[in-house]
Amino acid sequence: MIIVKDVAKAYGDVQAVKSVSFHADDAKITTLLGANGSGKTTTLRAISGLLHMDAGSVTVDGMIVADDPVKAQASLGVFPDSFGLYTRLTTREHLAYFGEFHGLSGTKLDAAITEVDKMLNLSEILDRRTEGFSQGQRMKVALARAILHRPSNIVLDEPTRGLDVMNIRLLRTILFDLRKEGRCVLLSSHVMAEVSALSDHVVMMAEGVVCAEGSPAELIARAGEVNLEEAFVKLTGQEDNGERKVA
Amino acid sequence: MSNHAFIVYKKEIKDMVRDRRMLIAAFGFALLMPVMMGVLYLVSKDSEAEARNTMLALSNIHQAPGLVAFMEKREIDVVEFEGNIVPEELPGKADALLFLPDNYGEMIKQGKVVIGRLYVDENTKLGIQRGREIGSAMDAYSSYVAGIRLLARGVPAAVASPIITSSYDLGNAGFFRQFMGNMILMMMLMAPFVGGLVVAVDTLAGERERHSMQPLLAQPVTARSVILGKLAMVSTFSIVSSLLSVTTLLIAISFIPAGTLPFAVYVNAHTVPLIFIQLIPFSILIAATQLFISIQVKSYKEGQSYISMFMMVPMFVSYLKIFGGEKLADFALFAPILAEMESLGSLFFTGEVSVSHMTSSILVSIIGILVLTWFTSRKLQSEVMLDAA
């Protein structure tokens, strides 16, 4: 379970996140929904222990990230905004490298690799160097890397970007499986159809603040609109040109 | 090394050795260095010229049998030069050209002063030496003729030559020997710079550019472990490059016939381990410095530019020692690179340990490694590392 409370972060004069608070519960898929620059990635980086926050706190399974980021990171599986693969290593070597940081070795590591192979159908690319992989194959390696150690919390930053329909469907199935296993899945997106199809809980963000949160159905009802896209526009006060209406 | 640092190290080594270009860049220098030194030595050596006597080209040679005999006694070969026009360069293999006046024989007979013109070529070290040898032989012949003239007039020759000075070269090493020796030391010290260059850029600036830094930093591993693992990898390349350069150099020297080199090399089972002990901390220091530079930049290209500029440091310091070593204060010889040159030079060319230089060099290296690694680890914790160029 991830609890974000009053998190704020500025980069120089730019206030990327002003005040963000929400819960991402176990056995649920929680989505941060927001336009580009709304503070989603900064929030996810703060959760992943990659940023020093200016204010607020993040708790992962009861551990305060700022106090001991390494301990909190052991409970997280992170799928960052870029795949970041090593082109001279094979998929198996990638998984072994990251698995070892989580204490996996020997037969345990082999078993974990076999499991993600089964889950993501990696057999064709398992012993191939990642150079020249398609976007879908790269996604699979990055996702396998994030879930190899069976973390209780999985954080994914815009996981469907650049993927074709079949890979999006595969990703969706895996995320549902992870939810079924009782894991906390937190992702960010600005693709309405994906958010509607995936999310149990949606956190709408704009200009570094949370504007609304709830299930997709609740948010649509609260906005009195017919779909999530319209509800997002209304609840975040966004104009069609991307500017936010000031109340 | 912590377990996590070792995991990083294993991966980094595997990643780097799979890139053929990196291996060539890292070890090509160490393997080619003896060849480069050999070429440099051959170019500077003038071996063919050294194997023969000094040679003087002389105009009006038939009027100067006494001068010819005097020169030949001094093992200076004399050949005839025809004509009165000064050529653009010395004729044939001559080391100097002496023009005597057309009435040289007559003037000598009459006891007159003869003005000769001596042309030498001081473009090379050998040219300078041989020109001076002929000049001093001419002075000696002049004194000799003066002595005979005085004797003919009943005056003892010693009156005209109250002081006779003989010159002997007491220098342990001439400029050439020093130059070649220091060049060898410079090449040895350049090896860790070259060995670590590409891998140091790739492991931090390259990792940042490829966006693989973020997933790595999101793992339960400290920045210190990551940097230690990477430092160990870059150090491995630097150390191997260093030791390889010494080994190939020693192998190359072993093929050169004894007495051909302009310096003596005292390398044995006792000094080789000391040379390695000296080079290992220095190589790690260079690796730590290269990583420190690499973490400051956003892209591979930028890193390459700065680390290439860093390569100029050992070259500059070595040239400072080669050309201005005499003017350097004693304490300056304890500075990094200079201390290594002093210590290695002592081990290599005298077989003796310069305890003060070796100790200071190792201590400075250890302190440098700790400080630079601390700063590099600290920088890795900075959130700017998440963004590439």
Side-chain angles (χ1 to χ4, degrees):
Chain A
M1 184 182 186
I2 296 168
I3 301 169
V4 177
K5 200 175 171 193
D6 302 326
V7 164
K9 176 70 190 173
Y11 299 104
D13 295 336
V14 180
Q15 190 71 41
V17 172
K18 288 172 188 163
S19 178
V20 168
S21 301
F22 64 87
H23 287 206
D25 296 325
D26 291 341
K28 276 190 179 171
I29 297 176
T30 304
T31 303
L32 299 184
L33 176 63
N36 292 332
S38 59
K40 302 187 301 291
T41 296
T42 300
T43 304
L44 293 184
R45 283 179 175 181
I47 293 166
S48 308
L50 296 169
L51 288 182
H52 307 288
M53 293 163 288
D54 298 334
S57 67
V58 175
T59 311
V60 174
D61 290 344
M63 291 172 283
I64 298 168
V65 174
D67 289 352
D68 193 348
V70 171
K71 204 171 171 190
Q73 283 167 333
S75 299
L76 287 167
V78 179
F79 182 105
D81 56 346
S82 49
F83 298 132
L85 304 183
Y86 301 105
T87 53
R88 295 186 289 265
L89 296 190
T90 66
T91 303
R92 190 189 294 279
E93 286 164 348
H94 269 89
L95 300 179
Y97 180 44
F98 287 91
E100 282 184 69
F101 287 130
H102 292 275
L104 295 173
S105 62
T107 50
K108 270 188 183 174
L109 179 64
D110 293 340
I113 292 174
T114 308
E115 202 174 331
V116 287
D117 172 20
K118 226 183 276 173
M119 213 168 170
L120 288 158
N121 192 19
L122 296 171
S123 49
E124 267 185 34
I125 56 167
L126 199 55
D127 292 305
R128 265 178 57 195
R129 290 190 191 178
T130 62
E131 187 160 28
F133 273 17
S134 68
Q135 192 76 349
Q137 289 169 326
R138 290 158 63 82
M139 180 279 289
K140 281 183 180 180
V141 180
L143 185 58
R145 182 178 65 191
I147 63 174
L148 180 79
H149 56 289
R150 314 300 289 161
S152 47
N153 306 277
I154 297 116
V155 177
L156 306 98
D157 194 357
E158 302 196 8
T160 57
R161 73 190 171 283
L163 296 184
D164 59 25
V165 177
M166 295 317 290
N167 279 310
I168 290 175
R169 285 168 68 93
L170 172 69
L171 179 70
R172 201 182 295 157
T173 308
I174 290 161
L175 295 184
F176 285 146
D177 286 348
L178 291 168
R179 178 179 65 181
K180 213 166 156 185
E181 289 171 8
R183 297 173 204 286
C184 164
V185 179
L186 173 64
L187 59 108
S188 71
S189 181
H190 55 244
V191 183
M192 297 298 162
E194 175 188 313
V195 176
S196 290
L198 272 173
S199 313
D200 300 307
H201 188 75
V202 176
V203 179
M204 289 182 173
M205 290 180 69
E207 294 183 8
V209 294
V210 173
C211 303
E213 58 179 314
S215 70
E218 281 170 1
L219 291 168
I220 292 167
R222 197 184 306 165
E225 296 289 348
V226 288
N227 57 41
L228 193 62
E229 185 175 319
E230 295 303 327
F232 174 76
V233 173
K234 192 165 185 179
L235 290 170
T236 57
Q238 302 271 314
E239 299 277 12
D240 280 345
N241 61 7
E243 294 291 316
R244 194 165 177 226
K245 281 181 192 169
V246 180
Chain B
M1 201 191 298
S2 76
N3 186 36
H4 282 169
F6 186 62
I7 294 167
V8 175
Y9 173 72
K10 278 192 306 178
K11 175 261 159 191
E12 291 290 333
I13 286 283
K14 189 184 287 179
D15 199 5
M16 298 301 167
V17 297
R18 284 187 180 166
D19 192 327
R20 198 182 305 154
R21 286 169 307 173
M22 286 204 197
L23 292 177
I24 292 169
F27 304 126
F29 175 82
L31 293 170
L32 288 174
M33 196 254 280
V35 178
M36 291 189 276
M37 287 305 299
V39 170
L40 188 65
Y41 173 60
L42 288 173
V43 166
S44 323
K45 190 170 161 274
D46 293 331
S47 55
E48 193 197 343
E50 276 178 349
R52 60 169 177 78
N53 287 345
T54 302
M55 188 180 285
L56 170 67
L58 186 63
S59 70
N60 295 315
I61 192 168
H62 304 297
Q63 296 186 42
L67 175 60
V68 172
F70 187 87
M71 290 292 174
E72 283 178 349
K73 231 177 171 182
R74 293 186 155 229
E75 295 189 337
I76 295 172
D77 296 341
V78 185
V79 293
E80 183 176 9
F81 178 76
E82 291 176 0
N84 289 314
I85 302 162
V86 181
E88 284 190 4
E89 56 184 38
L90 292 173
K93 290 181 178 177
D95 300 298
L97 168 62
L98 178 61
F99 277 106
L100 296 177
D102 293 340
N103 57 347
Y104 171 80
E106 197 58 35
M107 288 176 87
I108 286 288
K109 261 187 209 166
Q110 292 172 8
K112 289 184 178 171
V113 175
V114 176
I115 295 173
R117 285 172 293 145
L118 183 68
Y119 293 89
V120 295
D121 179 355
E122 295 197 339
N123 273 329
T124 62
K125 171 181 63 71
L126 196 71
I128 295 170
Q129 279 175 0
R130 295 198 159 175
R132 285 178 189 170
E133 184 187 350
I134 291 170
S136 103
M138 282 306 298
D139 289 343
Y141 183 66
S142 179
S143 298
Y144 169 72
V145 174
I148 290 171
R149 285 178 178 175
L150 289 170
L151 268 177
R153 287 161 180 76
V155 180
V159 172
S161 305
I163 300 169
I164 296 172
T165 311
S166 300
S167 304
Y168 303 94
D169 184 5
L170 285 176
N172 287 327
F175 177 76
F176 180 61
R177 268 178 287 173
Q178 278 184 23
F179 177 76
M180 284 303 294
N182 283 322
M183 284 300 284
I184 283 181
L185 297 177
M186 185 182 89
M187 292 287 192
M188 279 199 287
L189 294 177
M190 287 283 289
F193 284 81
V194 182
L197 187 149
V198 184
V199 289
V201 179
D202 190 80
T203 196
L204 283 175
E207 177 132 30
R208 198 170 161 190
E209 189 176 75
R210 287 189 299 269
H211 300 277
S212 51
M213 191 63 92
Q214 197 180 332
L216 176 60
L217 295 178
Q219 305 308 313
V221 55
T222 60
R224 195 185 56 189
S225 295
V226 172
I227 292 301
L228 282 179
K230 287 175 183 285
L231 174 64
M233 180 276 291
V234 180
S235 299
T236 301
F237 276 78
S238 300
I239 291 168
V240 171
S241 178
S242 272
L243 303 191
L244 198 61
S245 73
V246 174
T247 309
T248 51
L249 189 75
L250 293 178
I251 291 170
I253 287 175
S254 72
F255 282 103
I256 299 174
T260 323
L261 280 173
F263 45 76
V265 176
Y266 294 87
V267 178
N268 51 42
H270 174 64
T271 51
V272 167
L274 289 172
I275 290 171
F276 286 2
I277 287 170
Q278 169 79 82
L279 282 173
I280 288 170
F282 178 70
S283 301
I284 301 173
L285 173 67
I286 300 310
T289 313
Q290 289 174 327
L291 282 181
F292 177 75
I293 296 170
S294 183
I295 205 161
Q296 312 297 330
V297 300
K298 278 187 170 183
S299 69
Y300 189 92
K301 266 191 177 176
E302 199 184 345
Q304 227 172 8
S305 308
Y306 288 124
I307 294 190
S308 300
M309 281 164 71
F310 176 54
M311 295 273 295
M312 290 163 69
V313 174
M315 290 171 76
F316 173 76
V317 175
S318 301
Y319 284 132
L320 198 67
K321 175 143 176 29
I322 291 169
F323 296 106
E326 311 268 316
K327 293 175 192 164
L328 289 174
D330 285 349
F331 70 87
L333 298 175
F334 289 92
I337 301 176
L338 285 172
E340 275 79 17
M341 286 184 85
E342 285 294 311
S343 176
L344 283 174
S346 180
L347 282 169
F348 223 77
F349 301 120
T350 67
E352 288 168 13
V353 184
S354 170
V355 179
S356 56
H357 289 112
M358 187 176 225
T359 312
S360 87
S361 149
I362 292 173
L363 273 177
V364 167
S365 294
I366 291 170
I367 293 167
I369 293 162
L370 293 174
V371 171
L372 288 164
T373 306
W374 185 81
F375 275 113
T376 310
S377 301
R378 205 174 147 77
K379 178 79 177 180
L380 188 65
Q381 294 167 39
S382 160
E383 53 209 37
V384 299
M385 296 308 298
L386 302 175
D387 298 309

